[in-house]
Amino acid sequence: DTAVSQTPKYLVTQMGNDKSIKCEQNLGHDTMYWYKQDSKKFLKIMFSYNNKELIINETVPNRFSPKSPDKAHLNLHINSLELGDSAVYFCASSQVTGNTIYFGEGSWLTVV
Amino acid sequence: QKEVEQDPGPLSVPEGAIVSLNCTYSNSAFQYFMWYRQYSRKGPELLMYTYSSGNKEDGRFTAQVDKSSKYISLFIRDSQPSDSATYLCAMSEGATGFQKLVFGTGTRLLVSP
C-alpha cells in the first residue's frame, strides 16, 4: 500500500481555471504538508497542518487554499491558475515531533 | 543569498567511486540535518538524518555535519548505478512539524557502469 498517495499525477489545464489535488496518508501521522518543486528542482514548503490545524503558511498566494477534512487527508485547491503555478506539487506527512517526512510521488501541474 | 546552497551538478562518477556531496548554509539556528534522495519522477525519500554536529554512518552512506563551518556532507562509498539520482540536503531549526524544512536545490549524481 502506498503510504502517501496523491491524485492526479499529471494535470494540464488552462490559465484561469480552478483545480484541486488530493492527498491521503495511511501512516497514522498527525502532520501533513504541501511542498512545491519548481523547474529548477527547488523544493519549498507551502503549508503544514497538524491535526487539521494550519501550522505553517509560507506566504503562498491566497489563490492556494489547503483543506484538511481529517488528519489523514490534505487537499490543495488552486483558483485562477497562472502560468507560474506550473510545477510539481508534493504532499507529505510526518509525526509532529518526528524526524522523517514521507513524500508522495508528486503531481505534475502544467498551466497553458 | 539562499539559506542553503548546493551545487546542482551533474556529478558524474564511475561505478565503485567514492562520492562526496555537500551543502553550505547561513542560518546558525539549524540543528537538524537530512539528506534526501529523489529519483526521476518520484518523491524525495529520506536517506540520512543527523542532529547537531558529528558523523553518522548507515551502510555505504556517511553523513557529516560541521556546524562551526555551516557545512554538511554526504559520502557514498562503492557507488552503484542505482545511486544515480538527485540528492537534496535539508535542514530545520526544530521539530519537524512546527519548523519548516529548508531544502537545497539538489545535486544530480550520475554513476556510470
Side-chain angles (χ1 to χ4, degrees):
Chain A
D1 273 349
T2 305
V4 182
S5 59
Q6 52 184 111
T7 56
K9 189 172 176 75
Y10 299 102
L11 182 56
V12 181
T13 188
Q14 291 187 327
M15 279 175 52
N17 283 353
D18 303 338
K19 291 294 177 187
S20 291
I21 307 172
K22 296 185 176 180
C23 179
E24 176 182 5
Q25 55 94 3
N26 62 6
L27 297 166
H29 289 161
D30 54 12
T31 304
M32 295 186 71
Y33 312 80
W34 278 108
Y35 279 81
K36 178 180 179 181
Q37 189 170 46
D38 62 22
S39 58
K40 295 184 178 177
K41 298 287 192 182
F42 184 55
L43 192 61
K44 187 174 181 184
I45 191 168
M46 300 173 67
F47 303 101
S48 78
Y49 270 73
N50 175 252
N51 281 321
K52 305 194 301 174
E53 288 192 26
L54 181 65
I55 301 297
I56 294 173
N57 181 341
E58 274 293 295
T59 58
V60 176
N62 57 17
R63 298 184 295 104
F64 290 79
S65 52
K67 285 187 172 51
S68 183
D70 56 61
K71 69 177 189 178
H73 295 84
L74 180 62
N75 304 322
L76 184 65
H77 188 75
I78 315 170
N79 291 327
S80 304
L81 278 155
E82 301 177 356
L83 293 176
D85 296 332
S86 296
V88 186
Y89 293 85
F90 286 99
C91 178
S93 73
S94 75
Q95 294 290 16
V96 69
T97 55
N99 304 313
T100 304
I101 294 182
Y102 294 85
F103 285 85
E105 299 229 318
S107 294
W108 270 254
L109 172 65
T110 303
V111 182
V112 297
Chain B
Q1 182 190 4
K2 287 197 171 111
E3 273 188 291
V4 179
E5 298 277 0
Q6 189 175 6
D7 187 332
L11 177 61
S12 295
V13 301
E15 184 175 355
I18 296 175
V19 175
S20 172
L21 303 165
N22 311 295
C23 288
T24 59
Y25 62 94
S26 56
N27 184 353
S28 57
F30 286 144
Q31 296 191 76
Y32 298 83
F33 303 91
M34 292 138 233
W35 284 95
Y36 281 80
R37 178 175 61 196
Q38 186 175 20
Y39 290 113
S40 181
R41 298 272 166 188
K42 297 290 186 183
E45 55 177 331
L46 183 67
L47 271 181
M48 300 286 286
Y49 164 85
T50 312
Y51 171 69
S52 194
S53 285
N55 294 357
K56 187 171 184 179
E57 188 173 323
D58 184 1
R60 296 184 296 112
F61 299 91
T62 299
Q64 286 186 354
V65 174
D66 181 350
K67 289 187 70 180
S68 62
S69 302
K70 297 192 182 70
Y71 188 87
I72 70 170
S73 302
L74 177 70
F75 297 96
I76 307 175
R77 290 184 298 281
D78 187 25
S79 57
Q80 302 294 311
S82 59
D83 295 328
S84 298
T86 297
Y87 290 79
L88 301 151
C89 62
M91 44 200 83
S92 68
E93 295 181 19
T96 307
F98 292 100
Q99 299 288 340
K100 65 177 183 178
L101 199 58
V102 181
F103 281 84
T105 50
T107 299
R108 187 166 168 229
L109 173 65
L110 301 170
V111 182
S112 53

Short mmCIF file of all heavy atoms in Angstrom, two decimals, chain B residues 37-77:
data_model
loop_
_atom_site.label_atom_id
_atom_site.label_comp_id
_atom_site.label_asym_id
_atom_site.label_seq_id
_atom_site.Cartn_x
_atom_site.Cartn_y
_atom_site.Cartn_z
N ARG B 37 17.06 11.49 -1.14
CA ARG B 37 17.37 11.05 -2.49
C ARG B 37 16.07 11.12 -3.29
O ARG B 37 15.01 10.70 -2.84
CB ARG B 37 17.88 9.60 -2.46
CG ARG B 37 18.19 9.01 -3.82
CD ARG B 37 18.82 7.63 -3.67
NE ARG B 37 17.92 6.70 -3.00
CZ ARG B 37 18.32 5.54 -2.48
NH1 ARG B 37 19.59 5.18 -2.53
NH2 ARG B 37 17.44 4.73 -1.89
N GLN B 38 16.18 11.65 -4.50
CA GLN B 38 15.00 11.76 -5.36
C GLN B 38 15.31 11.19 -6.73
O GLN B 38 16.15 11.72 -7.46
CB GLN B 38 14.55 13.23 -5.49
CG GLN B 38 13.25 13.39 -6.26
CD GLN B 38 12.74 14.83 -6.29
OE1 GLN B 38 13.49 15.77 -6.07
NE2 GLN B 38 11.46 15.00 -6.55
N TYR B 39 14.63 10.10 -7.07
CA TYR B 39 14.74 9.55 -8.41
C TYR B 39 13.81 10.34 -9.33
O TYR B 39 12.86 10.97 -8.90
CB TYR B 39 14.35 8.07 -8.42
CG TYR B 39 15.35 7.17 -7.73
CD1 TYR B 39 15.03 6.49 -6.55
CD2 TYR B 39 16.62 6.98 -8.26
CE1 TYR B 39 15.95 5.66 -5.92
CE2 TYR B 39 17.54 6.15 -7.63
CZ TYR B 39 17.20 5.50 -6.46
OH TYR B 39 18.10 4.69 -5.83
N SER B 40 14.11 10.23 -10.63
CA SER B 40 13.33 10.97 -11.61
C SER B 40 11.85 10.61 -11.52
O SER B 40 11.48 9.43 -11.45
CB SER B 40 13.86 10.66 -13.01
OG SER B 40 13.15 11.37 -13.97
N ARG B 41 11.00 11.59 -11.50
CA ARG B 41 9.55 11.43 -11.48
C ARG B 41 9.04 10.77 -10.19
O ARG B 41 7.96 10.18 -10.18
CB ARG B 41 9.07 10.60 -12.68
CG ARG B 41 9.38 11.24 -14.02
CD ARG B 41 8.29 12.14 -14.44
NE ARG B 41 8.66 13.01 -15.54
CZ ARG B 41 7.89 14.00 -15.98
NH1 ARG B 41 6.72 14.22 -15.42
NH2 ARG B 41 8.28 14.75 -16.98
N LYS B 42 9.82 10.89 -9.11
CA LYS B 42 9.43 10.32 -7.83
C LYS B 42 9.54 11.39 -6.74
O LYS B 42 10.13 12.45 -6.93
CB LYS B 42 10.33 9.14 -7.45
CG LYS B 42 10.26 7.96 -8.42
CD LYS B 42 8.93 7.24 -8.32
CE LYS B 42 8.93 6.00 -9.18
NZ LYS B 42 7.60 5.32 -9.13
N GLY B 43 8.96 11.08 -5.57
CA GLY B 43 9.11 11.98 -4.44
C GLY B 43 10.42 11.75 -3.72
O GLY B 43 11.02 10.68 -3.82
N PRO B 44 10.90 12.75 -2.96
CA PRO B 44 12.13 12.57 -2.18
C PRO B 44 11.93 11.51 -1.10
O PRO B 44 10.85 11.39 -0.52
CB PRO B 44 12.35 13.95 -1.56
CG PRO B 44 11.52 14.89 -2.36
CD PRO B 44 10.35 14.10 -2.84
N GLU B 45 13.00 10.75 -0.82
CA GLU B 45 12.96 9.78 0.28
C GLU B 45 14.15 10.03 1.19
O GLU B 45 15.26 10.32 0.73
CB GLU B 45 12.98 8.35 -0.25
CG GLU B 45 14.15 8.04 -1.17
CD GLU B 45 14.18 6.59 -1.61
OE1 GLU B 45 13.72 5.71 -0.87
OE2 GLU B 45 14.69 6.34 -2.72
N LEU B 46 13.91 9.94 2.49
CA LEU B 46 14.95 10.24 3.46
C LEU B 46 16.03 9.17 3.45
O LEU B 46 15.76 7.98 3.53
CB LEU B 46 14.34 10.31 4.87
CG LEU B 46 15.33 10.69 5.97
CD1 LEU B 46 15.80 12.13 5.80
CD2 LEU B 46 14.69 10.51 7.35
N LEU B 47 17.28 9.63 3.35
CA LEU B 47 18.44 8.73 3.41
C LEU B 47 19.10 8.76 4.78
O LEU B 47 19.39 7.73 5.36
CB LEU B 47 19.49 9.17 2.38
CG LEU B 47 19.43 8.62 0.98
CD1 LEU B 47 20.58 9.20 0.17
CD2 LEU B 47 19.50 7.10 0.98
N MET B 48 19.40 9.97 5.23
CA MET B 48 20.17 10.12 6.46
C MET B 48 19.61 11.29 7.26
O MET B 48 19.18 12.30 6.70
CB MET B 48 21.64 10.40 6.17
CG MET B 48 22.35 9.33 5.38
SD MET B 48 22.69 7.87 6.36
CE MET B 48 24.04 8.43 7.39
N TYR B 49 19.68 11.13 8.57
CA TYR B 49 19.23 12.19 9.48
C TYR B 49 20.28 12.38 10.56
O TYR B 49 20.75 11.40 11.14
CB TYR B 49 17.90 11.79 10.09
CG TYR B 49 17.51 12.58 11.31
CD1 TYR B 49 16.86 13.79 11.17
CD2 TYR B 49 17.83 12.12 12.59
CE1 TYR B 49 16.53 14.53 12.27
CE2 TYR B 49 17.51 12.87 13.70
CZ TYR B 49 16.85 14.07 13.54
OH TYR B 49 16.53 14.80 14.64
N THR B 50 20.66 13.61 10.83
CA THR B 50 21.67 13.90 11.85
C THR B 50 21.20 15.08 12.69
O THR B 50 20.67 16.06 12.15
CB THR B 50 23.02 14.27 11.20
OG1 THR B 50 23.34 13.31 10.20
CG2 THR B 50 24.13 14.31 12.22
N TYR B 51 21.42 14.97 13.98
CA TYR B 51 21.11 16.09 14.86
C TYR B 51 22.42 16.72 15.30
O TYR B 51 23.34 16.03 15.74
CB TYR B 51 20.32 15.62 16.08
CG TYR B 51 20.16 16.69 17.14
CD1 TYR B 51 19.35 17.80 16.91
CD2 TYR B 51 20.84 16.60 18.35
CE1 TYR B 51 19.22 18.79 17.87
CE2 TYR B 51 20.71 17.59 19.31
CZ TYR B 51 19.91 18.69 19.06
OH TYR B 51 19.79 19.66 20.01
N SER B 52 22.53 18.03 15.13
CA SER B 52 23.69 18.81 15.53
C SER B 52 24.95 18.32 14.80
O SER B 52 24.87 17.75 13.72
CB SER B 52 23.86 18.75 17.05
OG SER B 52 24.77 19.74 17.47
N SER B 53 26.10 18.55 15.35
CA SER B 53 27.36 18.21 14.67
C SER B 53 27.71 16.74 14.84
O SER B 53 27.22 16.08 15.75
CB SER B 53 28.50 19.06 15.21
OG SER B 53 28.43 20.38 14.72
N GLY B 54 28.58 16.26 13.95
CA GLY B 54 29.05 14.89 14.10
C GLY B 54 28.87 14.09 12.84
O GLY B 54 28.49 14.61 11.80
N ASN B 55 29.19 12.81 12.95
CA ASN B 55 29.09 11.88 11.83
C ASN B 55 28.04 10.83 12.10
O ASN B 55 27.76 10.49 13.27
CB ASN B 55 30.43 11.16 11.62
CG ASN B 55 31.52 12.08 11.18
OD1 ASN B 55 31.30 13.26 10.97
ND2 ASN B 55 32.72 11.55 11.05
N LYS B 56 27.46 10.31 11.03
CA LYS B 56 26.54 9.19 11.14
C LYS B 56 26.74 8.29 9.94
O LYS B 56 26.82 8.79 8.81
CB LYS B 56 25.10 9.68 11.20
CG LYS B 56 24.07 8.60 11.47
CD LYS B 56 22.73 9.21 11.72
CE LYS B 56 21.70 8.16 12.09
NZ LYS B 56 20.38 8.77 12.37
N GLU B 57 26.82 7.00 10.19
CA GLU B 57 27.07 6.05 9.10
C GLU B 57 25.90 5.07 9.00
O GLU B 57 25.35 4.61 10.01
CB GLU B 57 28.36 5.29 9.39
CG GLU B 57 28.83 4.41 8.25
CD GLU B 57 30.20 3.82 8.51
OE1 GLU B 57 31.07 4.51 9.09
OE2 GLU B 57 30.40 2.65 8.14
N ASP B 58 25.54 4.76 7.74
CA ASP B 58 24.49 3.77 7.50
C ASP B 58 24.83 3.05 6.21
O ASP B 58 24.62 3.58 5.12
CB ASP B 58 23.13 4.45 7.39
CG ASP B 58 21.98 3.45 7.23
OD1 ASP B 58 22.25 2.23 7.23
OD2 ASP B 58 20.83 3.88 7.10
N GLY B 59 25.42 1.87 6.37
CA GLY B 59 25.83 1.11 5.18
C GLY B 59 26.89 1.85 4.39
O GLY B 59 27.93 2.23 4.92
N ARG B 60 26.59 2.10 3.12
CA ARG B 60 27.57 2.79 2.26
C ARG B 60 27.51 4.31 2.41
O ARG B 60 28.29 5.02 1.79
CB ARG B 60 27.30 2.42 0.80
CG ARG B 60 27.51 0.94 0.48
CD ARG B 60 27.33 0.65 -1.01
NE ARG B 60 25.97 0.90 -1.49
CZ ARG B 60 25.65 1.88 -2.34
NH1 ARG B 60 26.58 2.71 -2.79
NH2 ARG B 60 24.40 2.02 -2.73
N PHE B 61 26.60 4.81 3.21
CA PHE B 61 26.37 6.25 3.34
C PHE B 61 26.90 6.76 4.68
O PHE B 61 26.69 6.15 5.72
CB PHE B 61 24.88 6.56 3.23
CG PHE B 61 24.26 6.17 1.92
CD1 PHE B 61 23.70 4.91 1.74
CD2 PHE B 61 24.26 7.05 0.85
CE1 PHE B 61 23.14 4.54 0.52
CE2 PHE B 61 23.69 6.70 -0.37
CZ PHE B 61 23.13 5.44 -0.54
N THR B 62 27.59 7.92 4.61
CA THR B 62 28.05 8.60 5.81
C THR B 62 27.67 10.07 5.70
O THR B 62 27.97 10.72 4.70
CB THR B 62 29.57 8.49 5.97
OG1 THR B 62 29.94 7.12 6.08
CG2 THR B 62 30.04 9.23 7.23
N ALA B 63 27.01 10.57 6.74
CA ALA B 63 26.66 11.98 6.79
C ALA B 63 27.54 12.67 7.81
O ALA B 63 27.80 12.14 8.89
CB ALA B 63 25.19 12.15 7.16
N GLN B 64 28.02 13.85 7.45
CA GLN B 64 28.85 14.65 8.36
C GLN B 64 28.26 16.04 8.49
O GLN B 64 27.79 16.62 7.50
CB GLN B 64 30.28 14.78 7.82
CG GLN B 64 31.12 13.55 7.94
CD GLN B 64 32.55 13.79 7.52
OE1 GLN B 64 32.90 14.86 7.02
NE2 GLN B 64 33.39 12.78 7.71
N VAL B 65 28.28 16.58 9.69
CA VAL B 65 27.82 17.93 9.94
C VAL B 65 28.92 18.68 10.68
O VAL B 65 29.41 18.22 11.71
CB VAL B 65 26.53 17.94 10.78
CG1 VAL B 65 26.14 19.37 11.14
CG2 VAL B 65 25.40 17.25 10.04
N ASP B 66 29.28 19.84 10.16
CA ASP B 66 30.23 20.73 10.82
C ASP B 66 29.53 22.06 11.04
O ASP B 66 29.50 22.92 10.15
CB ASP B 66 31.48 20.90 9.96
CG ASP B 66 32.53 21.80 10.62
OD1 ASP B 66 32.21 22.43 11.65
OD2 ASP B 66 33.65 21.85 10.12
N LYS B 67 28.95 22.23 12.21
CA LYS B 67 28.16 23.44 12.47
C LYS B 67 29.05 24.68 12.54
O LYS B 67 28.61 25.78 12.21
CB LYS B 67 27.35 23.29 13.75
CG LYS B 67 26.18 22.31 13.62
CD LYS B 67 25.30 22.32 14.84
CE LYS B 67 24.52 23.60 14.95
NZ LYS B 67 23.64 23.64 16.14
N SER B 68 30.30 24.51 12.96
CA SER B 68 31.17 25.68 13.07
C SER B 68 31.44 26.28 11.69
O SER B 68 31.61 27.49 11.55
CB SER B 68 32.49 25.31 13.76
OG SER B 68 33.18 24.34 12.99
N SER B 69 31.47 25.42 10.67
CA SER B 69 31.70 25.90 9.30
C SER B 69 30.41 26.04 8.52
O SER B 69 30.43 26.47 7.36
CB SER B 69 32.62 24.93 8.55
OG SER B 69 33.85 24.78 9.23
N LYS B 70 29.30 25.64 9.13
CA LYS B 70 27.99 25.64 8.46
C LYS B 70 28.08 24.84 7.15
O LYS B 70 27.75 25.33 6.05
CB LYS B 70 27.49 27.06 8.19
CG LYS B 70 27.25 27.88 9.46
CD LYS B 70 26.50 29.16 9.14
CE LYS B 70 26.29 30.01 10.37
NZ LYS B 70 27.54 30.62 10.87
N TYR B 71 28.51 23.59 7.30
CA TYR B 71 28.83 22.76 6.14
C TYR B 71 28.42 21.33 6.46
O TYR B 71 28.76 20.81 7.51
CB TYR B 71 30.35 22.84 5.93
CG TYR B 71 30.88 22.21 4.68
CD1 TYR B 71 30.93 22.92 3.49
CD2 TYR B 71 31.38 20.90 4.69
CE1 TYR B 71 31.45 22.36 2.34
CE2 TYR B 71 31.90 20.33 3.55
CZ TYR B 71 31.95 21.07 2.38
OH TYR B 71 32.46 20.51 1.24
N ILE B 72 27.66 20.71 5.53
CA ILE B 72 27.30 19.31 5.72
C ILE B 72 27.68 18.52 4.48
O ILE B 72 27.73 19.08 3.38
CB ILE B 72 25.81 19.11 6.07
CG1 ILE B 72 24.90 19.41 4.87
CG2 ILE B 72 25.41 19.98 7.26
CD1 ILE B 72 23.45 19.00 5.12
N SER B 73 27.96 17.25 4.69
CA SER B 73 28.41 16.39 3.59
C SER B 73 27.70 15.04 3.65
O SER B 73 27.32 14.58 4.72
CB SER B 73 29.92 16.15 3.67
OG SER B 73 30.64 17.35 3.63
N LEU B 74 27.58 14.44 2.49
CA LEU B 74 27.12 13.05 2.37
C LEU B 74 28.15 12.33 1.53
O LEU B 74 28.46 12.77 0.41
CB LEU B 74 25.75 12.97 1.71
CG LEU B 74 25.23 11.55 1.49
CD1 LEU B 74 24.86 10.90 2.83
CD2 LEU B 74 24.01 11.53 0.56
N PHE B 75 28.69 11.23 2.08
CA PHE B 75 29.64 10.41 1.34
C PHE B 75 28.97 9.10 0.96
O PHE B 75 28.29 8.48 1.79
CB PHE B 75 30.89 10.14 2.18
CG PHE B 75 31.65 11.38 2.52
CD1 PHE B 75 31.46 12.01 3.74
CD2 PHE B 75 32.56 11.92 1.62
CE1 PHE B 75 32.15 13.17 4.06
CE2 PHE B 75 33.26 13.08 1.95
CZ PHE B 75 33.06 13.70 3.16
N ILE B 76 29.18 8.69 -0.27
CA ILE B 76 28.67 7.40 -0.73
C ILE B 76 29.87 6.56 -1.15
O ILE B 76 30.63 6.95 -2.06
CB ILE B 76 27.71 7.55 -1.93
CG1 ILE B 76 26.59 8.55 -1.61
CG2 ILE B 76 27.11 6.19 -2.30
CD1 ILE B 76 25.67 8.85 -2.80
N ARG B 77 30.06 5.44 -0.46
CA ARG B 77 31.17 4.54 -0.82
C ARG B 77 30.69 3.52 -1.83
O ARG B 77 29.51 3.17 -1.88
CB ARG B 77 31.67 3.82 0.43
CG ARG B 77 32.40 4.68 1.41
CD ARG B 77 32.94 3.83 2.55
NE ARG B 77 31.87 3.19 3.30
CZ ARG B 77 31.13 3.81 4.23
NH1 ARG B 77 31.34 5.08 4.49
NH2 ARG B 77 30.19 3.16 4.86
#
